[in-house]
């Protein structure tokens, strides 16, 4: 093959999300997956597991290339928009920014909704959660929800101690791109700041642009944020699941039988991610505590102070979903 032709093919492979290259009889389609987390993080491990299962189940006809560490899109909103126009095939993102495109998703991430992780999983893997996952596509977003993953609970971490709601006053807190979360921090007395990707939180804190952020133990540890914001308050304001998303446009370009394989493989990775999550959640907590992070454990009464301020969110974002919210609360009781 002439050099120019090879170059052209390489360029085409980089530009087309579902690029099929033929070698003999076997047509290989390479699909791109975007991930903000680093190698070794539970969701990244699940991405690779997904790729492995799909490649195996299609006898190598479909390969999934994982771009970790936010190298393709540092902000998940960018990845979501790329999926909508079919620029990439998959993205593993948090459900939080997805709610900007599929508002119903806010219902499964309302502040203080779940009693614990088991409660959340009963809801997500039951009819309510599965219906929400289907709604991602049914809403006409151009996105397809393939599977939920665990991301534990989210907590505030700051450059100075927070031991009560009163200490939140005036704090600039980085949030994901989700208006409901901005409202949540406002109700707690702080100021929500969006538009900063998770990989840039560390430097934003260091430069004094923000006073802190909120996340789970593994992200706090993995991104190194604990080094610049060493006060972690266990307020557990939200449990926001991760979602593995596909581009509807890219799936439509594939053989329907392969789409079924992809959906099935994605589902199979959930248990694996949850297992990896549990291990990492514990080791991350141990690591940051050993490095001197100051953890504020709140009493149930103190947590109630946070929770009591959330009523306006339930009124605004829960409007029309009152029965569903009640059903979620009753799940597992
Ligand atoms: C982490 C999620 C990741 C989000 C990040 C964030 O795993 O998908 O991008 O939070 O806060 O927990 O942006």
């Amino acid at each position: 093959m002439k050099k120019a032709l090879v170059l052209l093919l390489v360029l085409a492979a980089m530009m087309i999300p579902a690029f099929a290259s033929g070698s003999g009889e076997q047509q290989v389609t390479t699909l791109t997956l975007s991930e903000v987390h680093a190698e070794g993080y539970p969701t990244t491990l699940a991405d690779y597991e997904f790729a492995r299962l799909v490649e195996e189940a299609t006898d190598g006809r479909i390969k999934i290339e994982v771009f970790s560490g936010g190298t393709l899109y540092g902000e998940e909103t960018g990845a979501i928009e790329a999926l909508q126009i079919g620029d990439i095939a998959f993205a593993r993102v948090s459900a939080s920014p997805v709610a900007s495109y599929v508002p119903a998703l806010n219902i499964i991430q309302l502040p203080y909704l779940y009693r614990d992780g088991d409660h959340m999983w009963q809801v997500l893997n039951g009819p309510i959660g599965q219906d929400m996952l289907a709604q991602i596509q049914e809403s006409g977003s151009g996105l397809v929800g393939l599977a939920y993953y665990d991301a534990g609970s989210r907590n505030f971490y700051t450059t100075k101690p927070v031991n009560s709601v009163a200490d939140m006053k005036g704090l600039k807190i980085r949030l994901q791109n989700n208006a409901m979360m901005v409202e949540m921090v406002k109700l707690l007395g702080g100021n929500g700041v969006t538009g900063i990707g998770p990989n840039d939180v560390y430097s934003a804190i260091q430069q004094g642009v923000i006073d802190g952020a909120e996340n789970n133990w593994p992200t706090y540890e993995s991104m190194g944020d604990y080094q610049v914001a060493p006060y972690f308050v266990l307020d557990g304001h939200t449990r926001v699941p991760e979602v593995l998303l596909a581009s509807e446009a890219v799936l439509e370009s594939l053989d329907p039988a392969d789409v079924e394989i992809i959906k099935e493989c994605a589902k199979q990775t959930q248990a694996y991610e949850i297992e990896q999550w549990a291990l990492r959640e514990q080791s991350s907590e141990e690591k940051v505590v050993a490095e001197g992070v100051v953890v504020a454990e709140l009493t149930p009464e103190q947590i109630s102070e946070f929770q009591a301020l959330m009523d306006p969110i339930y009124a605004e974002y829960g409007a029309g979903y009152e029965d569903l919210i009640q059903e979620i609360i009753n799940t597992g009781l």
Side-chain angles (χ1 to χ4, degrees), residues 35-37 41 43 74 76 92-95 97 151 154 174-176 196-198 201 214-216 219 223 240 242 277:
E35 167 65 71
V36 292
H37 284 300
Y41 192 90
T43 54
E76 293 182 339
R92 196 293 312 158
V93 297
S94 162
R154 296 180 75 97
R174 178 271 177 186
L175 297 167
Q176 294 171 285
I196 301 172
V201 172
E214 45 87 60
N215 223 309
N216 47 46
T219 301
M223 300 291 179
V240 181
E242 317 279 21
W277 177 261

Coordinates of all heavy atoms in Angstrom, one line a residue, residues 35-37 41 43 74 76 92-95 97 151 154 174-176 196-198 201 214-216 219 223 240 242 277, ligand 1:
E35 N -13.5 8.4 29.4 CA -13.5 8.2 30.8 C -12.7 9.3 31.5 O -11.5 9.6 31.0 CB -12.9 6.8 31.1 CG -12.5 6.5 32.5 CD -13.7 6.4 33.5 OE1 -14.6 5.5 33.4 OE2 -13.9 7.4 34.3
V36 N -13.2 10.0 32.5 CA -12.4 11.0 33.2 C -11.4 10.5 34.2 O -10.4 11.1 34.5 CB -13.3 12.1 33.9 CG1 -14.1 12.9 32.9 CG2 -14.2 11.4 35.0
H37 N -11.6 9.2 34.7 CA -10.8 8.7 35.7 C -9.5 8.1 35.2 O -9.4 7.7 34.0 CB -11.5 7.7 36.6 CG -12.5 8.4 37.5 ND1 -12.1 9.3 38.5 CD2 -13.8 8.3 37.6 CE1 -13.1 9.7 39.1 NE2 -14.2 9.1 38.6
Y41 N -8.7 3.1 38.3 CA -9.9 3.5 39.1 C -11.0 2.5 38.8 O -11.1 1.9 37.7 CB -10.2 4.9 38.6 CG -11.3 5.6 39.5 CD1 -10.8 6.4 40.6 CD2 -12.6 5.5 39.3 CE1 -11.8 7.0 41.4 CE2 -13.6 6.1 40.1 CZ -13.1 6.9 41.1 OH -14.1 7.5 41.9
T43 N -14.1 2.6 37.9 CA -14.9 2.7 36.6 C -14.0 2.4 35.4 O -14.5 1.9 34.4 CB -15.5 4.1 36.5 OG1 -14.4 5.1 36.6 CG2 -16.6 4.4 37.5
G74 N -12.3 16.4 29.3 CA -12.0 16.6 30.7 C -13.2 16.9 31.5 O -13.3 16.7 32.7
E76 N -17.4 16.1 31.7 CA -18.3 15.1 31.1 C -19.3 15.6 30.2 O -19.8 14.9 29.3 CB -18.9 14.3 32.3 CG -17.8 13.5 33.0 CD -18.2 12.6 34.1 OE1 -19.2 12.9 34.7 OE2 -17.4 11.7 34.5
R92 N -18.3 6.8 30.0 CA -18.7 6.5 31.4 C -18.7 7.8 32.1 O -17.6 8.5 32.2 CB -17.6 5.5 32.0 CG -18.1 4.7 33.2 CD -18.3 5.6 34.4 NE -17.1 6.5 34.6 CZ -17.2 7.6 35.2 NH1 -18.3 8.0 35.8 NH2 -16.1 8.4 35.3
V93 N -19.8 8.2 32.6 CA -20.0 9.5 33.2 C -20.8 9.4 34.5 O -21.4 8.3 34.8 CB -20.7 10.5 32.3 CG1 -19.9 10.8 31.1 CG2 -22.1 10.0 31.9
S94 N -20.9 10.4 35.3 CA -21.7 10.5 36.4 C -23.1 10.8 36.0 O -23.3 11.6 35.0 CB -21.2 11.5 37.4 OG -22.2 11.9 38.3
A95 N -24.2 10.3 36.7 CA -25.5 10.7 36.3 C -25.8 12.2 36.5 O -26.8 12.7 35.9 CB -26.5 9.8 37.1
P97 N -24.3 15.2 35.5 CA -24.4 16.0 34.3 C -25.4 15.5 33.3 O -25.9 16.3 32.5 CB -22.9 16.0 33.8 CG -22.3 14.8 34.3 CD -22.9 14.6 35.7
A151 N -20.8 4.7 42.9 CA -19.9 5.8 43.1 C -20.1 6.3 44.6 O -19.7 7.4 44.9 CB -20.2 7.0 42.2
R154 N -21.5 11.2 48.2 CA -20.7 12.4 48.0 C -20.7 13.3 49.3 O -21.8 13.4 49.9 CB -21.2 13.2 46.8 CG -21.0 12.4 45.5 CD -21.6 13.2 44.3 NE -20.7 14.3 43.9 CZ -19.8 14.2 42.9 NH1 -19.7 13.0 42.2 NH2 -19.1 15.2 42.5
R174 N -16.9 23.7 44.3 CA -17.0 23.2 42.9 C -18.1 22.1 42.8 O -18.1 21.2 43.6 CB -15.7 22.7 42.4 CG -15.6 22.1 41.0 CD -16.0 20.6 41.0 NE -16.0 20.1 39.7 CZ -16.4 18.8 39.4 NH1 -16.8 18.0 40.4 NH2 -16.4 18.4 38.2
L175 N -18.9 22.1 41.8 CA -19.9 21.1 41.6 C -19.9 20.6 40.2 O -19.4 21.3 39.3 CB -21.3 21.8 41.9 CG -21.6 22.2 43.3 CD1 -22.8 23.1 43.4 CD2 -21.7 21.1 44.3
Q176 N -20.6 19.5 40.0 CA -20.7 19.0 38.6 C -21.7 19.9 37.9 O -22.4 20.7 38.5 CB -21.3 17.6 38.6 CG -20.2 16.6 39.3 CD -20.8 15.3 39.5 OE1 -21.6 15.1 40.4 NE2 -20.5 14.3 38.7
I196 N -15.8 23.4 36.1 CA -14.4 22.9 36.3 C -14.4 21.4 36.3 O -15.2 20.7 37.0 CB -13.9 23.4 37.8 CG1 -13.9 24.9 37.9 CG2 -12.5 22.8 38.0 CD1 -13.7 25.4 39.3
G197 N -13.6 20.8 35.4 CA -13.6 19.4 35.3 C -12.9 18.7 36.5 O -12.2 19.4 37.2
P198 N -13.3 17.5 36.8 CA -12.7 16.9 38.0 C -11.2 16.8 38.1 O -10.7 16.9 39.2 CB -13.3 15.4 38.0 CG -13.7 15.2 36.6 CD -14.1 16.5 36.0
V201 N -9.9 20.3 39.6 CA -10.3 20.8 41.0 C -9.1 21.1 41.8 O -9.1 22.1 42.5 CB -11.3 19.7 41.6 CG1 -11.6 20.1 43.0 CG2 -12.6 19.6 40.8
E214 N -16.9 18.6 46.3 CA -17.6 17.4 47.0 C -17.5 16.2 46.1 O -17.5 16.3 44.9 CB -19.1 17.8 47.3 CG -19.9 18.4 46.1 CD -20.5 17.5 45.2 OE1 -21.3 16.7 45.6 OE2 -20.1 17.5 44.0
N215 N -17.2 15.1 46.8 CA -17.1 13.9 46.0 C -17.0 12.7 47.0 O -17.2 12.8 48.2 CB -15.8 13.9 45.1 CG -16.2 13.4 43.7 OD1 -16.7 12.2 43.6 ND2 -15.9 14.1 42.7
N216 N -16.7 11.5 46.4 CA -16.6 10.3 47.2 C -15.1 10.1 47.6 O -14.2 10.8 47.1 CB -17.1 9.1 46.4 CG -16.5 9.2 45.0 OD1 -15.3 9.4 44.8 ND2 -17.4 9.0 44.0
T219 N -12.5 9.5 44.5 CA -12.1 10.6 43.6 C -11.3 11.6 44.4 O -10.3 12.1 43.9 CB -13.4 11.3 43.0 OG1 -14.1 10.3 42.3 CG2 -13.0 12.5 42.1
M223 N -7.6 12.1 42.7 CA -7.3 13.4 42.0 C -6.3 14.2 42.9 O -5.9 15.2 42.5 CB -8.6 14.2 41.8 CG -9.6 13.5 41.0 SD -9.1 13.5 39.2 CE -10.5 12.6 38.5
V240 N -24.9 9.5 43.9 CA -25.1 9.7 42.4 C -24.4 8.6 41.7 O -23.2 8.4 41.7 CB -24.5 11.1 41.9 CG1 -24.7 11.3 40.5 CG2 -25.0 12.2 42.8
E242 N -22.9 6.2 38.7 CA -22.2 6.4 37.4 C -23.1 5.8 36.4 O -23.9 4.9 36.7 CB -20.9 5.7 37.4 CG -20.0 5.8 38.6 CD -19.3 7.1 38.7 OE1 -19.7 8.1 38.0 OE2 -18.3 7.2 39.4
W277 N -15.4 -1.2 43.4 CA -15.7 0.0 44.1 C -15.5 -0.1 45.6 O -14.9 0.7 46.2 CB -17.1 0.5 43.8 CG -17.5 1.7 44.6 CD1 -18.2 1.7 45.7 CD2 -17.0 3.0 44.3 NE1 -18.2 3.0 46.2 CE2 -17.5 3.8 45.4 CE3 -16.2 3.6 43.3 CZ2 -17.2 5.2 45.4 CZ3 -16.0 4.9 43.4 CH2 -16.5 5.7 44.4
Ligands
LIG1 C1 -16.8 11.4 40.3 C2 -17.4 10.6 39.1 C3 -17.0 11.3 37.8 C4 -17.3 12.8 37.9 C5 -16.7 13.4 39.1 C6 -17.0 14.9 39.2 O1 -16.9 9.3 39.1 O2 -17.7 10.7 36.8 O3 -16.8 13.4 36.7 O4 -17.1 12.7 40.2 O5 -17.2 15.4 40.3 O6 -17.2 10.8 41.5 O7 -17.0 15.6 38.2

